[in-house]
Amino acid sequence: MDERALRNSGKWQIPVYSEQAAEGLFINLAQIVSAQSAAPAFLHAQINTFINDQHRSSALKVYMVQQGAEQWYQKAMVQLGKATTGNSNTRGSRSSSSSSASPYGKSLRNIYTALGIKSRRSSYASYDDNDEQEYNNNNNGNEQQQQQQPFAMLCMRTGDVDCGCLSISEQQMPATISQMLSGEQKPSVAAFLEQFQQQQQQAMKFRGALVTSIFEQEAKIPTSAGFPLRICNSVPVLAFADGQAKISMESARLESPLGVKAEVNAHMMASLGHIQKMVSARANDGTRK
Amino acid sequence: MAFYGILRHLLISFFLFGIFLDSPAFLIIFPFATFQTIMELFNSADSIQDKVLALNALGNAGIDTCVGELEQIIKDRSEARVVRYKAIDALRRLRTQMPAKIQQILLPIYQNTREHPEIRAYAFARILSTLPAQQVIDQLAYTIRQEKNRQVQAFAYRAMKTLANSRNPVEQQM
């Protein structure tokens, strides 16, 4: 297959592996590019390890997935164009706006919708704001809105368990940015600073949990019966923290040279146990002490 | 916020019981109860973020009883693309326990040319992570050869080539 004819989607591996020691790690990079978006629909960087003859998949992984995020980019460019030139109508947007505003354009769109004709460009055609309402009325509104709703997510995974996700959607977007994208507010640094000051006056809530096992040890002892005796020892720990933090900046504050005051109210819980097991190959239940 | 609180509580509780009580009854009953609660939260969610969070929790838990529900979500074309992707991703921790079942679910998704290309590509990646047998690899290779979508073809070809040239001893067994 001619690789020069392939598109940009793919998966690649960068090994950092020693054949002699039979240990190493493998860096996997992958992206899936969409025909409807300039940004990749899926992007990930992953580290797999092979240490002590044990393979660990997704020891560390950072990945991004998005759908319809180019809508935000288009809105941002339109608003930026309005802010700089005062006229956001490019040739493409003028033609689409004129066709959708005219009665003939609307009739044509209604015919397409009634016949189920979709754009050849993709089976998930993008519609401008005027047509999105008509398309949703003709179909199941909620399902179609979710399919076209822009959404992006950045996640971090350790040990094949997602430990942090940052999602971006129109519901969670800060009010300032949402207003700027919709044109209700002009983009300005002053607006961002004002929102930052408002957030600074509010307390930030945080909540975190940690589950881990420490002092894991295992020993195999040969016995005269011929079956090895396995002794396992571990201390599982569960910790949970819930609280809020408030950071305020006061330039006239004399106690702190930086002029920063932080208040943290936290409620923490922790519990741990001690598990010791003796297991033989014959008796699977083993003896717990 | 209550939604997130419940999910986090369930996640912590699941891990807690898994550590302190290795009685088989608890390992069977409690994860099932947790899975039912998470699926109720998923079905009652009205935004993509809530659904994705529920599927994240399911993926982290790796409960084998949820495979049927995940299959329905994956095959439901009315769901958002990101939700279907997360449903496929939620099968990742079951790839060593039930590889054949995962291949049975995802292979038709990959071979369906009317399916969304990104979903197909990710289904292909998830099938490869199960270290499939030679027969499945032959089907995948045949589909790559007949593939019409350039993005899917590029991803599948490069993924297979990376796997073939991999120096990872686990992947070399394939």
Side-chain angles (χ1 to χ4, degrees):
Chain A
M1 181 174 293
D2 186 7
E3 293 203 28
R4 293 172 296 179
L6 293 176
R7 294 291 188 259
N8 293 332
S9 297
K11 188 174 180 181
W12 301 268
Q13 187 182 81
I14 303 171
V16 183
Y17 182 73
S18 166
E19 302 279 358
Q20 190 174 4
E23 288 185 352
L25 54 89
F26 305 90
I27 303 171
N28 292 335
L29 306 171
Q31 70 169 2
I32 299 175
V33 180
S34 167
Q36 295 98 40
S37 173
F42 170 70
L43 191 66
H44 94 216
Q46 173 182 339
I47 295 178
N48 298 338
T49 60
F50 192 86
I51 298 173
N52 286 339
D53 207 27
Q54 286 191 354
H55 177 253
R56 195 176 182 195
S57 175
S58 295
L60 178 64
K61 180 175 179 178
V62 178
Y63 65 96
M64 182 276 296
V65 60
Q66 63 88 10
Q67 72 168 33
E70 69 278 2
Q71 296 181 27
W72 293 327
Y73 173 78
Q74 289 173 0
K75 286 180 183 178
M77 289 296 107
V78 166
Q79 298 307 321
L80 198 60
K82 280 182 180 176
T84 53
T85 63
N87 182 11
S88 67
N89 274 340
T90 60
R91 185 175 60 183
S93 62
R94 277 201 300 272
S95 62
S96 65
S97 61
S98 61
S99 66
S100 59
S102 69
Y104 302 107
K106 279 197 172 180
S107 302
L108 196 59
R109 296 275 181 190
N110 288 338
I111 294 172
Y112 286 158
T113 307
L115 293 175
I117 296 174
K118 295 181 181 178
S119 168
R120 183 189 288 266
R121 187 163 173 252
S122 70
S123 58
Y124 297 83
S126 59
Y127 292 83
D128 59 21
D129 292 337
N130 292 330
D131 296 325
E132 187 172 338
Q133 191 62 38
E134 290 183 22
Y135 187 77
N136 291 336
N137 291 337
N138 293 332
N139 297 277
N140 188 334
N142 190 29
E143 292 167 353
Q144 292 300 329
Q145 277 180 2
Q146 281 205 357
Q147 282 191 7
Q148 298 165 14
Q149 190 177 355
F151 181 83
M153 187 173 64
L154 180 66
C155 285
M156 189 170 76
R157 181 179 291 173
T158 56
D160 218 6
V161 175
D162 283 333
C163 58
C165 285
L166 174 66
S167 58
I168 304 172
S169 63
E170 292 189 336
Q171 287 91 354
Q172 274 75 34
M173 197 176 284
T176 306
I177 297 178
S178 178
Q179 287 171 0
M180 285 181 186
L181 289 178
S182 62
E184 296 174 17
Q185 186 177 0
K186 283 188 178 179
S188 67
V189 178
F192 281 114
L193 286 177
E194 184 182 348
Q195 185 170 17
F196 176 72
Q197 284 180 351
Q198 288 176 359
Q199 285 180 350
Q200 183 188 322
Q201 292 169 1
Q202 299 173 0
M204 292 179 290
K205 295 182 181 178
F206 61 88
R207 183 181 295 170
L210 172 69
V211 178
T212 185
S213 183
I214 59 177
F215 300 127
E216 276 197 42
Q217 293 174 335
E218 185 176 318
K220 257 188 191 177
I221 302 172
T223 62
S224 57
F227 299 104
L229 187 66
R230 198 159 57 96
I231 301 174
C232 309
N233 181 72
S234 66
V235 179
V237 176
L238 172 67
F240 180 75
D242 184 7
Q244 53 187 18
K246 186 177 174 183
I247 300 174
S248 57
M249 296 185 183
E250 298 172 19
S251 59
R253 189 162 187 81
L254 299 178
E255 286 85 0
S256 171
L258 297 176
V260 177
K261 178 185 174 185
E263 295 176 11
V264 178
N265 294 319
H267 176 226
M268 299 185 66
M269 288 185 299
S271 60
L272 56 88
H274 187 201
I275 297 177
Q276 277 186 328
K277 286 192 294 187
M278 272 197 291
V279 180
S280 71
R282 193 95 183 231
N284 290 331
D285 289 336
T287 303
R288 186 178 308 168
K289 195 174 181 180
Chain B
M1 290 306 293
F3 178 84
Y4 303 117
I6 290 171
L7 272 184
R8 284 185 171 82
H9 171 74
L10 286 171
L11 271 176
I12 295 168
S13 303
F14 173 75
F15 285 117
L16 175 64
F17 275 87
I19 290 171
F20 285 97
L21 300 166
D22 58 357
S23 164
F26 277 97
L27 287 177
I28 293 172
I29 294 173
F30 192 79
F32 181 77
T34 305
F35 154 65
Q36 289 293 331
T37 307
I38 294 177
M39 285 312 302
E40 286 172 6
L41 291 172
F42 176 86
N43 293 329
S44 64
D46 55 358
S47 68
I48 294 179
Q49 178 170 358
D50 292 343
K51 290 185 177 182
V52 164
L53 191 60
L55 290 172
N56 264 345
L58 271 184
N60 285 346
I63 306 172
D64 53 357
T65 52
C66 69
V67 172
E69 297 283 347
L70 289 175
E71 181 179 0
Q72 290 182 10
I73 297 170
I74 293 168
K75 293 182 176 176
D76 185 0
R77 300 187 71 177
S78 64
E79 288 284 0
R81 191 166 66 241
V82 175
V83 173
R84 297 177 70 195
Y85 156 76
K86 287 305 295 182
I88 296 174
D89 191 53
L91 296 172
R92 67 183 186 279
R93 301 197 74 190
L94 300 171
R95 64 180 183 274
T96 54
Q97 297 177 31
M98 41 175 57
K101 179 65 178 174
I102 292 175
Q103 292 161 14
Q104 181 189 350
I105 295 171
L106 297 180
L107 197 54
I109 299 287
Y110 168 63
Q111 293 181 324
N112 181 8
T113 54
R114 298 174 61 85
E115 188 56 77
H116 201 287
E118 289 130 47
I119 299 291
R120 292 181 60 208
Y122 196 72
F124 177 87
R126 190 49 57 204
I127 293 172
L128 279 191
S129 71
T130 62
L131 302 181
Q134 186 63 41
Q135 301 87 333
V136 178
I137 294 176
D138 291 342
Q139 288 191 48
L140 297 176
Y142 177 77
T143 307
I144 292 174
R145 186 175 295 185
Q146 310 295 326
E147 184 61 56
K148 294 288 190 289
N149 187 293
R150 294 290 187 179
Q151 295 292 350
V152 176
Q153 187 187 47
F155 182 85
Y157 174 75
R158 288 196 172 112
M160 289 277 265
K161 187 178 177 185
T162 299
L163 195 61
N165 297 332
S166 172
R167 294 166 58 191
N168 190 331
V170 173
E171 293 172 352
Q172 284 180 343
Q173 294 174 8
M174 237 173 60

Coordinates of all heavy atoms in Angstrom, one line a residue, chain A residues 14-63:
Chain A
I14 N 6.8 4.6 19.6 CA 8.2 4.9 19.8 C 8.7 4.0 21.0 O 8.3 4.2 22.1 CB 8.4 6.4 20.2 CG1 7.8 7.3 19.1 CG2 9.9 6.7 20.4 CD1 7.7 8.7 19.5
P15 N 9.5 3.0 20.7 CA 10.0 2.1 21.8 C 11.2 2.7 22.5 O 12.1 3.2 21.9 CB 10.3 0.8 21.0 CG 10.7 1.3 19.7 CD 10.0 2.6 19.4
V16 N 11.2 2.5 23.8 CA 12.4 2.8 24.6 C 12.6 1.5 25.4 O 12.3 1.3 26.5 CB 12.2 4.0 25.6 CG1 13.4 4.3 26.3 CG2 11.7 5.2 24.8
Y17 N 13.2 0.6 24.7 CA 13.2 -0.8 25.2 C 14.6 -1.4 25.0 O 15.2 -1.2 24.0 CB 12.1 -1.6 24.4 CG 12.0 -3.1 24.8 CD1 11.4 -3.4 26.0 CD2 12.5 -4.1 24.0 CE1 11.2 -4.7 26.4 CE2 12.3 -5.4 24.4 CZ 11.7 -5.7 25.6 OH 11.5 -7.0 26.0
S18 N 15.0 -2.2 26.0 CA 16.3 -2.9 25.9 C 16.0 -4.4 25.8 O 15.4 -5.0 26.6 CB 17.0 -2.6 27.2 OG 18.1 -3.5 27.3
E19 N 16.5 -4.9 24.7 CA 16.3 -6.4 24.4 C 17.1 -7.2 25.4 O 16.7 -8.2 25.9 CB 16.8 -6.7 23.0 CG 16.0 -5.9 21.9 CD 14.7 -6.5 21.6 OE1 14.4 -7.6 22.1 OE2 14.0 -6.0 20.7
Q20 N 18.2 -6.6 25.8 CA 19.1 -7.4 26.7 C 18.5 -7.5 28.1 O 18.5 -8.6 28.7 CB 20.5 -6.7 26.8 CG 21.5 -7.5 27.5 CD 22.9 -6.7 27.4 OE1 23.0 -5.6 26.9 NE2 23.9 -7.4 28.0
A21 N 18.0 -6.4 28.6 CA 17.4 -6.4 29.9 C 15.9 -6.8 29.9 O 15.3 -7.1 30.9 CB 17.5 -5.0 30.6
A22 N 15.3 -6.9 28.7 CA 13.9 -7.2 28.5 C 13.0 -6.3 29.3 O 12.1 -6.7 30.0 CB 13.6 -8.7 28.8
E23 N 13.3 -5.0 29.3 CA 12.5 -4.0 30.1 C 12.5 -2.8 29.2 O 13.5 -2.5 28.5 CB 13.1 -3.7 31.4 CG 13.0 -4.9 32.4 CD 13.4 -4.5 33.8 OE1 14.1 -3.4 34.0 OE2 13.2 -5.2 34.8
G24 N 11.5 -2.0 29.4 CA 11.4 -0.7 28.7 C 10.0 -0.2 28.7 O 9.1 -0.7 29.4
L25 N 9.9 0.8 28.0 CA 8.5 1.4 27.9 C 8.3 1.8 26.4 O 9.2 1.9 25.6 CB 8.4 2.7 28.7 CG 9.4 3.8 28.6 CD1 8.9 4.8 27.6 CD2 9.5 4.5 30.0
F26 N 7.0 1.9 26.1 CA 6.6 2.1 24.7 C 5.6 3.3 24.6 O 4.6 3.3 25.3 CB 5.9 0.9 24.1 CG 6.7 -0.4 24.2 CD1 6.7 -1.2 25.3 CD2 7.6 -0.7 23.2 CE1 7.4 -2.3 25.4 CE2 8.4 -1.8 23.3 CZ 8.3 -2.6 24.4
I27 N 6.0 4.3 23.9 CA 5.2 5.5 23.7 C 4.3 5.3 22.5 O 4.9 5.2 21.4 CB 6.1 6.7 23.6 CG1 7.0 6.8 24.9 CG2 5.2 8.0 23.5 CD1 8.0 7.9 24.7
N28 N 3.0 5.3 22.7 CA 2.1 5.2 21.6 C 1.4 6.5 21.3 O 0.9 7.1 22.2 CB 1.0 4.1 21.9 CG 1.6 2.7 21.9 OD1 2.6 2.4 21.3 ND2 1.0 1.8 22.7
L29 N 1.4 6.9 20.1 CA 0.7 8.1 19.6 C -0.3 7.7 18.6 O 0.0 6.9 17.7 CB 1.7 9.1 19.1 CG 2.9 9.5 19.9 CD1 3.9 10.3 19.2 CD2 2.4 10.3 21.2
A30 N -1.5 8.3 18.7 CA -2.5 8.0 17.7 C -3.4 9.2 17.5 O -3.6 10.0 18.4 CB -3.4 6.8 18.2
Q31 N -3.9 9.3 16.3 CA -4.9 10.4 16.0 C -5.9 9.8 15.0 O -5.5 9.0 14.1 CB -4.2 11.6 15.5 CG -3.6 11.6 14.2 CD -3.2 12.9 13.6 OE1 -3.4 14.0 14.3 NE2 -2.7 13.0 12.4
I32 N -7.1 10.3 15.1 CA -8.1 10.0 14.1 C -8.7 11.3 13.7 O -9.2 12.1 14.4 CB -9.3 9.1 14.7 CG1 -8.7 7.8 15.2 CG2 -10.4 8.9 13.7 CD1 -9.8 7.0 16.0
V33 N -8.4 11.6 12.4 CA -8.8 12.9 11.8 C -10.2 12.7 11.2 O -10.5 11.7 10.6 CB -7.8 13.3 10.8 CG1 -8.2 14.6 10.2 CG2 -6.4 13.4 11.4
S34 N -11.0 13.8 11.4 CA -12.3 13.8 10.9 C -12.4 14.6 9.6 O -11.7 15.5 9.4 CB -13.3 14.3 11.9 OG -14.5 14.6 11.3
A35 N -13.3 14.2 8.7 CA -13.5 14.9 7.5 C -14.3 16.2 7.7 O -14.3 17.1 6.8 CB -14.2 14.1 6.4
Q36 N -14.9 16.3 8.9 CA -15.7 17.5 9.1 C -15.1 18.5 10.0 O -15.7 19.5 10.3 CB -17.1 17.1 9.8 CG -18.0 16.2 8.9 CD -17.8 14.8 9.2 OE1 -17.7 14.4 10.4 NE2 -17.8 13.9 8.2
S37 N -13.8 18.3 10.4 CA -13.2 19.2 11.4 C -11.8 19.3 11.1 O -11.1 18.3 10.7 CB -13.5 18.7 12.8 OG -12.8 19.4 13.8
A38 N -11.2 20.5 11.4 CA -9.8 20.7 11.2 C -9.0 20.0 12.3 O -7.9 19.5 12.1 CB -9.4 22.2 11.2
A39 N -9.6 20.0 13.5 CA -8.9 19.4 14.7 C -9.2 17.9 14.7 O -10.3 17.4 14.2 CB -9.4 20.0 16.0
P40 N -8.3 17.1 15.1 CA -8.5 15.6 15.2 C -9.7 15.3 16.1 O -10.0 15.9 17.1 CB -7.2 15.0 15.8 CG -6.2 16.1 15.7 CD -6.9 17.4 15.6
A41 N -10.5 14.3 15.7 CA -11.6 13.9 16.5 C -11.1 13.1 17.7 O -11.8 13.2 18.8 CB -12.6 13.0 15.7
F42 N -10.0 12.5 17.6 CA -9.4 11.8 18.7 C -7.9 11.9 18.6 O -7.3 11.7 17.6 CB -9.9 10.3 18.6 CG -9.2 9.4 19.5 CD1 -9.4 9.4 20.9 CD2 -8.3 8.4 19.1 CE1 -8.8 8.6 21.8 CE2 -7.6 7.6 19.9 CZ -7.9 7.7 21.3
L43 N -7.3 12.1 19.8 CA -5.8 12.2 19.9 C -5.4 11.7 21.2 O -6.0 12.0 22.2 CB -5.5 13.7 19.8 CG -4.1 14.2 19.6 CD1 -3.6 13.8 18.2 CD2 -4.0 15.7 19.7
H44 N -4.4 10.8 21.1 CA -3.9 10.3 22.4 C -2.4 10.0 22.4 O -1.8 9.8 21.4 CB -4.7 9.0 22.8 CG -4.1 7.7 22.4 ND1 -4.8 6.6 22.0 CD2 -2.8 7.3 22.4 CE1 -4.1 5.6 21.7 NE2 -2.8 6.0 21.9
A45 N -1.8 10.1 23.6 CA -0.4 9.8 23.8 C -0.4 8.9 25.0 O -1.0 9.2 26.1 CB 0.4 11.1 24.1
Q46 N 0.2 7.7 24.9 CA 0.1 6.7 25.9 C 1.4 6.0 26.1 O 2.2 5.9 25.2 CB -0.9 5.6 25.4 CG -1.1 4.4 26.2 CD -2.0 3.4 25.6 OE1 -2.9 3.8 24.8 NE2 -1.9 2.1 25.9
I47 N 1.7 5.7 27.4 CA 2.9 5.0 27.7 C 2.6 3.6 28.3 O 1.8 3.5 29.3 CB 3.7 5.8 28.7 CG1 4.2 7.1 28.1 CG2 4.9 5.0 29.2 CD1 4.9 8.0 29.1
N48 N 3.1 2.6 27.6 CA 2.9 1.2 28.1 C 4.3 0.8 28.6 O 5.3 1.1 28.0 CB 2.5 0.3 27.0 CG 1.1 0.6 26.5 OD1 0.3 1.3 27.1 ND2 0.9 0.2 25.3
T49 N 4.3 0.1 29.7 CA 5.6 -0.3 30.3 C 5.7 -1.8 30.3 O 4.7 -2.6 30.4 CB 5.8 0.2 31.7 OG1 4.7 -0.3 32.5 CG2 5.7 1.7 31.8
F50 N 6.9 -2.3 30.2 CA 7.2 -3.7 30.3 C 8.4 -3.8 31.3 O 9.6 -3.7 30.9 CB 7.5 -4.3 29.0 CG 7.5 -5.8 29.0 CD1 6.4 -6.6 28.9 CD2 8.7 -6.5 29.2 CE1 6.4 -8.0 28.9 CE2 8.7 -7.9 29.2 CZ 7.6 -8.6 29.1
I51 N 8.1 -4.0 32.6 CA 9.1 -4.0 33.6 C 8.9 -5.2 34.5 O 7.8 -5.6 34.8 CB 9.1 -2.7 34.5 CG1 9.3 -1.5 33.6 CG2 10.0 -2.8 35.6 CD1 9.1 -0.2 34.2
N52 N 10.0 -5.9 34.8 CA 9.9 -7.1 35.7 C 9.0 -8.2 35.1 O 8.2 -8.8 35.8 CB 9.4 -6.8 37.1 CG 10.5 -6.1 37.9 OD1 11.7 -6.2 37.6 ND2 10.1 -5.4 38.9
D53 N 9.1 -8.3 33.8 CA 8.3 -9.3 33.0 C 6.8 -9.1 33.2 O 6.0 -10.0 33.0 CB 8.7 -10.7 33.5 CG 8.5 -11.8 32.4 OD1 8.5 -11.4 31.3 OD2 8.2 -12.9 32.8
Q54 N 6.4 -7.9 33.5 CA 5.0 -7.5 33.6 C 4.7 -6.4 32.7 O 5.4 -5.3 32.7 CB 4.6 -7.2 35.0 CG 4.6 -8.4 36.0 CD 4.0 -8.0 37.3 OE1 3.7 -6.8 37.6 NE2 3.8 -9.0 38.1
H55 N 3.7 -6.6 31.9 CA 3.2 -5.6 30.9 C 2.1 -4.7 31.6 O 1.2 -5.3 32.1 CB 2.7 -6.2 29.6 CG 2.2 -5.2 28.6 ND1 0.9 -5.1 28.4 CD2 2.8 -4.3 27.9 CE1 0.7 -4.1 27.5 NE2 1.9 -3.7 27.1
R56 N 2.3 -3.4 31.5 CA 1.3 -2.6 32.1 C 0.8 -1.6 31.0 O 1.6 -0.8 30.5 CB 1.8 -1.8 33.2 CG 0.8 -1.1 34.1 CD 1.4 -0.4 35.3 NE 0.3 0.2 36.1 CZ 0.5 1.1 37.0 NH1 1.8 1.5 37.3 NH2 -0.4 1.5 37.8
S57 N -0.5 -1.8 30.6 CA -1.0 -0.9 29.5 C -1.5 0.3 30.1 O -2.1 0.3 31.2 CB -2.1 -1.7 28.8 OG -2.7 -0.9 27.8
S58 N -1.4 1.4 29.4 CA -1.8 2.8 29.8 C -1.3 3.1 31.2 O -2.0 3.5 32.1 CB -3.4 2.8 29.8 OG -3.9 2.7 28.5
A59 N 0.0 2.9 31.4 CA 0.6 3.4 32.7 C 0.4 4.9 32.8 O 0.1 5.3 33.9 CB 2.1 3.0 32.7
L60 N 0.4 5.5 31.7 CA 0.1 7.0 31.7 C -0.5 7.3 30.3 O 0.1 6.9 29.3 CB 1.3 7.9 32.0 CG 1.0 9.4 31.9 CD1 0.1 9.8 33.0 CD2 2.3 10.1 32.1
K61 N -1.6 7.9 30.3 CA -2.2 8.2 29.0 C -2.9 9.6 29.1 O -3.6 9.8 30.1 CB -3.2 7.1 28.6 CG -3.9 7.4 27.3 CD -4.8 6.2 26.9 CE -5.6 6.4 25.6 NZ -6.4 5.2 25.2
V62 N -2.7 10.4 28.1 CA -3.4 11.6 28.0 C -4.1 11.6 26.6 O -3.5 11.4 25.6 CB -2.4 12.8 28.0 CG1 -3.2 14.2 27.9 CG2 -1.7 12.8 29.4
Y63 N -5.4 11.9 26.6 CA -6.1 11.8 25.4 C -7.2 12.9 25.3 O -7.7 13.4 26.3 CB -6.8 10.4 25.2 CG -7.8 10.0 26.1 CD1 -9.2 10.2 25.8 CD2 -7.5 9.4 27.3 CE1 -10.2 9.8 26.7 CE2 -8.5 9.0 28.2 CZ -9.8 9.2 27.9 OH -10.8 8.8 28.8

